[in-house]
Amino acid sequence: HPYEKFCEDNRGGVHCFVRHDAQFVKEVGEETVELYVSPLLVNKKYDTKAVLEPVVLKDFDEEHQLRKLITKNLPLVAHCDKGTAWIFEKQRKPIVYMVAELDFANNFKKANYYANRMRKVAVEFKEDYIFAVATPVGLGQVWSKFGFEQKDLPTVVIVDPTEGDEGIYTLDEITSREFGKELITDVVKAHKNGELTTYIKSRAPEKADAGSKVVDVTGKTFEELITDQVDKDILLEAYAPWCGHCKKLKPTWERLAKKYADDEGVVIARVDATGNAVFEWEAQIRGFPTILFRAAGSNKIQKYEGEREIGDFMKYIKKNRTTAPE
């Protein structure tokens, strides 16, 4: 039955019950569904009667009807967690998320405090946006694209599901601003006025060694230093700051870069792939360090699988480069 399948697929975010008593069936009819919105974030001052009272769906026979019923009857400020994330992925409006480490079960007062800051803004922009409080876990892969750290929470971001990977926005100075109604308003107005560009996850690189010839790349410089360098042979190390193997490789990578310092055809680069967007290169990264190569004039990104001594890297570059050696 489609109802049972829906409940099984969404039991992390939807509680389902079946009533069989004859009097109830006589009153509401067979194949009728009643939706009771979670009282966690329902607010009598701000929410409509439709949200405060059960919503009835008669003649139910397809699973998509249940999904539509739920997505169309959210409170003014909804709650996004791992179990309810699908509700927001199906929306056709941009979603304004207030993201924080929230525990509704054990600290509802704190969660509701944040929700109230959102409600004061949502009443003005509810026709054009959906508002929700969320945990980083609730946003999943979308959250990882922002690259924020624990210390940056709470924060405000906008996600437009209709724009795919391009539809993530926030203010560049978001981490230096105090959270509150003014910040939320500024983010929404800037998005509404077309003043926000797609957010690019970008973190300043670690301080380079004196005299380093390695090209340190960030999310904001990736296009300029990597993507657009179509006439260069590029060897890129994707590392993580906490990775022991990456730290061990660093002296070798520095020496390798110096070997090619005067070779204009070769770029030896590195990027912290945990804190920066790496765009089309991301699909190849499964661990750290991952070393990737793209030959000049080619769109193909190859994964280096050899040993990690300087001689091995040089042999690989010699074999795979398409620019003339200098």
Side-chain angles (χ1 to χ4, degrees):
H1 192 280
Y3 180 79
E4 293 175 350
K5 183 178 184 305
F6 174 84
C7 295
E8 179 65 26
D9 291 345
N10 298 284
R11 54 182 166 178
V14 180
H15 297 289
C16 299
F17 304 91
V18 177
R19 293 185 63 173
H20 297 288
D21 54 285
Q23 183 60 35
F24 179 76
V25 173
K26 183 179 180 180
E27 290 175 1
V28 302
E30 294 185 355
E31 302 299 335
T32 295
V33 175
E34 287 189 332
L35 171 68
Y36 294 81
V37 177
S38 169
L40 276 179
L41 287 178
V42 173
N43 187 288
K44 292 182 179 180
K45 179 179 178 181
Y46 291 97
D47 287 305
T48 64
K49 184 178 179 181
V51 174
L52 294 171
E53 297 181 358
V55 182
V56 178
L57 171 65
K58 290 186 176 292
D59 302 320
F60 159 73
D61 61 0
E62 293 186 28
E63 187 178 350
H64 78 86
Q65 292 175 285
L66 287 178
R67 294 184 179 275
K68 184 176 180 180
L69 179 71
I70 293 171
T71 58
K72 295 295 184 183
N73 290 282
L74 296 174
L76 180 65
V77 174
H79 176 211
C80 175
D81 60 18
K82 192 173 182 179
T84 60
W86 63 268
I87 297 173
F88 302 91
E89 293 167 0
K90 302 295 183 181
Q91 297 295 337
R92 308 306 294 174
K93 294 180 182 179
I95 305 162
V96 183
Y97 289 108
M98 191 290 299
V99 189
E101 291 292 355
L102 302 173
D103 187 342
F104 283 87
N106 298 311
N107 196 345
F108 175 75
K109 186 176 180 180
K110 178 182 177 181
N112 197 50
Y113 167 82
Y114 287 133
N116 276 330
R117 306 284 82 71
M118 292 284 279
R119 290 185 184 108
K120 291 177 180 179
V121 180
V123 291
E124 181 180 351
F125 298 99
K126 63 183 179 181
E127 298 301 321
D128 300 311
Y129 294 87
I130 291 167
F131 289 79
V133 294
T135 61
V137 172
L139 288 183
Q141 290 186 341
V142 172
W143 178 246
S144 69
K145 294 180 184 298
F146 285 98
F148 291 128
E149 300 178 36
Q150 188 74 22
K151 63 181 178 62
D152 299 323
L153 301 179
T155 193
V156 183
V157 301
I158 293 180
V159 177
D160 190 338
T162 67
E163 297 180 7
D165 290 342
E166 299 296 313
I168 59 176
Y169 304 90
T170 195
L171 296 175
D172 286 340
E173 71 275 16
I174 192 78
T175 57
S176 63
R177 295 277 301 274
E178 182 180 355
F179 175 79
K181 177 185 175 183
E182 183 179 351
L183 176 60
I184 302 168
T185 303
D186 287 350
V187 173
V188 177
K189 283 185 175 180
H191 181 267
K192 190 175 179 64
N193 295 335
E195 297 168 359
L196 297 183
T197 56
T198 299
Y199 184 84
I200 297 175
K201 181 169 69 171
S202 191
R203 184 185 300 166
E206 298 176 349
K207 187 176 180 180
D209 295 341
S212 175
K213 301 300 180 182
V214 177
V215 177
D216 281 303
V217 185
T218 68
K220 290 183 178 179
T221 63
F222 199 92
E223 183 175 11
E224 174 190 354
L225 299 178
I226 301 296
T227 305
D228 291 347
Q229 298 297 317
V230 294
D231 58 343
K232 309 284 187 183
D233 295 300
I234 297 174
L235 193 65
L236 174 71
E237 177 204 359
Y239 72 90
W242 42 260
C243 166
H245 292 296
C246 303
K247 293 174 182 177
K248 183 179 178 180
L249 178 62
K250 185 175 180 180
T252 302
W253 209 248
E254 293 286 352
R255 292 197 302 271
L256 180 67
K258 288 180 179 178
K259 289 283 187 181
Y260 291 93
D262 297 323
D263 190 332
E264 294 188 359
V266 174
V267 174
I268 306 298
R270 65 185 164 209
V271 62
D272 171 6
T274 67
N276 294 282
V278 291
F279 304 97
E280 69 274 14
W281 297 63
E282 183 175 5
Q284 300 281 355
I285 300 172
R286 291 290 181 269
F288 302 107
T290 294
I291 298 165
L292 302 170
F293 178 80
R294 190 192 69 194
S298 173
N299 291 324
K300 184 179 179 181
I301 300 168
Q302 305 175 55
K303 187 174 181 180
Y304 175 82
E305 303 281 8
E307 298 297 321
R308 296 175 183 171
E309 298 298 330
I310 190 168
D312 301 307
F313 290 129
M314 294 181 71
K315 288 178 183 177
Y316 181 86
I317 292 172
K318 183 179 180 179
K319 179 180 178 181
N320 291 278
R321 70 182 297 172
T322 58
T323 57
E326 294 186 5

